[in-house]
Amino acid sequence: MRWLPLNSVPILIDALTSPPAGICQRSGSIQNSWARAGSGLTMKVQNGKSAKNSIWNIVLMAPYYIMALISKAQSRHIAIILHCKSKPFMPISSLPVMRFLCLLICMLTVSLAPLRAHEVQPLVADITVGSDQVTLELKFNSEVFLAGIDASTTADTNDNDKADDYDQLRALDEPALARTLRQNEAALVEAVILRAGSIRLEPSISGISIEPGVPFELPRMTTLIMTADLPDDGTPVVLGLDPALGPFAIRQNAPYPEKDGLESDALYTDYIAAGLNSLPIPRQGGVEREWHSVLGDYIIIGIDHIIPKGLDHIVFIMGLFFFSPRWRPLLMQVTVFTLAHSVTLALATLDLVRVEAMIVEPLIALSIAWIGVENIIRPKIGITRLGVIFIFGLLHGLGFAFVLGEVGLAGSDFVLSLVAFNIGVELGQIMVLIPLLVMGAFIARRGWYRPGVEIPASALIAVTGGYWFVERVITG
């Protein structure tokens, strides 16, 4: 027996949604697409060709295995999950809907295979403007730039026609990548646009460091340090980047904080869209920004952290929905989750709470797995469920704080930027929930909704969370 390969997904969907003759009989006779599995729930590929064993084959089938066990099906065939003893649990007229839902779940499963591996990370630029010199520290995915991938239009390198070039660069060890960067120094310098007044500065690379020991499955960050001399006319400095480097976060550092007496809330922090420039940065002090500009920027950052970059948070919100698509229990869960993550987001941003990402990220994945399992075994709203969601919300708030730690908060507008980011996160969650609520309005009251949609979706969420937990523990 061999596991069902991913290229057999159409066979799976067809078998799930087009049961052959005799399917309603108590014996559960399965024909055509399904092969008898003497060992239980293992399936065999129809054409007998060998199939690559992978963890995602298991993930693909796990929701259906779990459903079969939960429903206590008497037959040992996996296809029995679509039937309730002597008759189907859903009318034949509903099969097109089920076909679509099965396809959606299978596509989602396939798409969940380690997405973080080739995700394009936003560039972070730390700038220090002195009286006669500017120092720039860029932290970014250098392999994306070297491969010629446009980071302003690409969220995942797998979706780009230069994915093979990226993979070859990502396979280089740290010294080899550093040498490649040195060979492309002219292109790197050309991509950085520093101006003092009307004069374009000529920076040089004074240092290269590459994040060591990062598994190939995860993105690796490179830090470039550039310096440039300033003219003696006292003009402020403006930073821009080649649009191909994508949007970037800029954070101003004081050159001599003790001497200048500058506090962090007096300095400039901003999120710059691809192809645009920073505000002029004076050689002394920070930058005053309009409140509505801060509000808009940080709302966008908050939304962006959920859609498209917050896949784990999206899956968690889906888990809350599949617990109950009705608005009252859903509202209770989302409200508790929002209050909890707002608390730890504020505390962590204020540096009152500090927990390492290597601890928080696996626990977030574990929270996703727990929610999926609880949806199946205890589908009732109560103080226990809400208490669990509150605890998990505290964890997710720490995860949100890591994003703000990278981007930084907007100096003297600290409170406004924190509130705006939180608003953006909530708007992102609402965007996730709207299509789910629309779907729920049409099918949630159907008799087959729980066994046909809620349980398999929750099982998939549980398996995905478990996979992420193991992956994050291993990769640190």
Side-chain angles (χ1 to χ4, degrees), residues 145-211:
F145 176 81
L146 294 173
I149 295 174
D150 188 343
S152 66
T153 59
T154 303
D156 190 304
T157 58
N158 282 334
D159 300 330
N160 194 281
D161 56 5
K162 297 179 181 178
D164 290 340
D165 296 335
Y166 172 87
D167 288 341
Q168 290 177 10
L169 290 163
R170 183 61 187 84
L172 297 176
D173 59 19
E174 289 86 0
L177 180 59
R179 289 193 297 270
T180 303
L181 288 167
R182 283 293 183 186
Q183 293 167 3
N184 290 271
E185 183 171 349
L188 289 165
V189 170
E190 184 66 24
V192 177
I193 305 166
L194 277 171
R195 295 184 183 277
S198 60
I199 301 173
R200 178 163 181 175
L201 307 178
E202 298 180 0
S204 60
I205 297 177
S206 58
I208 298 175
S209 63
I210 299 165
E211 191 176 5

Side-chain angles (χ1 to χ4, degrees), residues 103-123:
L103 177 60
L104 184 63
I105 291 171
C106 291
M107 289 175 63
L108 177 61
T109 307
V110 175
S111 69
L112 289 176
L115 290 181
R116 292 189 302 156
H118 300 91
E119 184 180 284
V120 177
Q121 302 290 324
L123 184 147

Side-chain angles (χ1 to χ4, degrees), residues 242-310:
D242 188 305
L245 286 170
F248 65 97
I250 182 172
R251 304 182 299 195
Q252 180 190 3
N253 300 317
Y256 309 106
E258 298 84 3
K259 176 183 176 182
D260 297 341
L262 291 175
E263 301 292 338
S264 61
D265 63 357
L267 300 179
Y268 173 50
T269 302
D270 204 350
Y271 188 74
I272 313 295
L276 300 183
N277 298 330
S278 71
L279 295 176
I281 304 171
R283 302 193 190 187
Q284 289 185 344
V287 178
E288 291 294 329
R289 298 183 60 193
E290 297 291 337
W291 69 269
H292 52 80
S293 173
V294 175
L295 181 67
D297 283 351
Y298 280 85
I299 286 177
I300 291 173
I301 294 172
I303 294 174
D304 187 63
H305 180 60
I306 300 296
I307 302 174
K309 296 177 180 177

Side-chain angles (χ1 to χ4, degrees), residues 249-251 269-270 298 301 402-411 417:
I250 182 172
R251 304 182 299 195
T269 302
D270 204 350
Y298 280 85
I301 294 172
F402 295 141
V403 177
L404 278 185
E406 285 292 318
V407 176
L409 290 171
S417 53

Side-chain angles (χ1 to χ4, degrees), residues 281-354:
I281 304 171
R283 302 193 190 187
Q284 289 185 344
V287 178
E288 291 294 329
R289 298 183 60 193
E290 297 291 337
W291 69 269
H292 52 80
S293 173
V294 175
L295 181 67
D297 283 351
Y298 280 85
I299 286 177
I300 291 173
I301 294 172
I303 294 174
D304 187 63
H305 180 60
I306 300 296
I307 302 174
K309 296 177 180 177
L311 182 60
D312 47 0
H313 303 300
I314 290 174
V315 174
F316 186 87
I317 292 298
M318 291 175 67
L320 301 184
F321 168 82
F322 284 115
F323 175 81
S324 175
R326 294 174 176 81
W327 70 269
R328 186 168 297 174
L330 181 60
L331 180 62
M332 293 171 64
Q333 294 177 91
V334 172
T335 301
V336 168
F337 178 68
T338 298
L339 290 174
H341 76 62
S342 298
V343 169
T344 43
L345 173 60
L347 292 176
T349 305
L350 292 168
D351 245 356
L352 298 176
V353 174
R354 182 181 295 274

